[in-house]
Amino acid sequence: MASVPDHEHRVLDTLLAMVIADGDVDPDELSTVSKTYAELTGTEVEMETLEWRARMRMAKSDPLALPSNVGEGLEADAKRRIFVAALSIAEADGFVLEEEEELLTRLRGALALPEQTYREVVEGRAASH
C-alpha cells in the first residue's frame, strides 16, 4: 500500500468530520469528499473506503474532533481550499445545519483563517447559489 503523507490524512479526517457533523453519513456529502479530496491532494479514495472511515469516526468518543495540526505546513491558499471543500460538503445535501456551522467555525480557527477570508468564502458561496 502506498504511503499517504500526514497532511493528506489530516485533510481527509477534517473532511470526514464535516460529513458526520449532522450524525449521518450522507452519500451526497461522501461524493463531495471524494471529488474535493482528489482535487486537493491528487489522491483518489474509493467511496466504500470513505464510508467505512466516516462510520469509524462516528464510533469515536469525540467524532467531530479536528486534527489539531490540520493547517500545519500548508500555505494560505491550501487552507482556504480546505475550508471551501468543508463548506461544499456541508452544503451537499441542500442545507447547512447548526452543527455543521459550528464545525466550520472551529475549522476556521484550526486553519487560522482570517475572519475576512471566512466571510469572503461564505458570502461567495451564498452568492453563487
Side-chain angles (χ1 to χ4, degrees):
M1 184 166 132
S3 175
V4 177
D6 185 52
H7 70 276
E8 290 185 17
H9 281 292
R10 294 189 311 251
V11 169
L12 186 56
D13 282 347
T14 299
L15 298 179
L16 289 174
M18 186 55 64
V19 168
I20 65 168
D22 60 2
D24 188 28
V25 178
D26 183 274
D28 292 332
E29 292 175 342
L30 283 180
S31 178
T32 302
V33 168
S34 177
K35 178 182 156 206
T36 56
Y37 182 73
E39 289 171 0
L40 288 168
T41 66
T43 304
E44 293 188 20
V45 181
E46 294 182 12
M47 289 296 288
E48 295 80 18
T49 301
L50 290 175
E51 183 174 357
W52 178 81
R53 288 187 68 153
R55 294 199 184 284
M56 294 301 292
R57 260 193 91 81
M58 288 179 76
K60 291 184 175 184
S61 61
D62 188 3
L64 300 183
L66 295 172
S68 61
N69 56 353
V70 66
E72 185 177 292
L74 298 177
E75 295 180 11
D77 182 59
K79 291 177 182 183
R80 187 180 202 288
R81 289 173 51 212
I82 291 169
F83 187 80
V84 169
L87 182 57
S88 296
I89 293 162
E91 295 173 336
D93 58 3
F95 46 89
V96 178
L97 297 175
E98 183 178 331
E99 297 86 358
E100 293 167 324
E101 286 180 21
E102 290 173 9
L103 188 56
L104 285 167
T105 300
R106 288 187 17 236
L107 177 58
R108 183 195 69 80
L111 292 171
L113 285 176
E115 182 68 28
Q116 179 65 24
T117 301
Y118 175 81
R119 281 195 306 269
E120 288 171 1
V121 168
V122 171
E123 289 169 6
R125 298 284 299 175
S128 69
H129 282 64

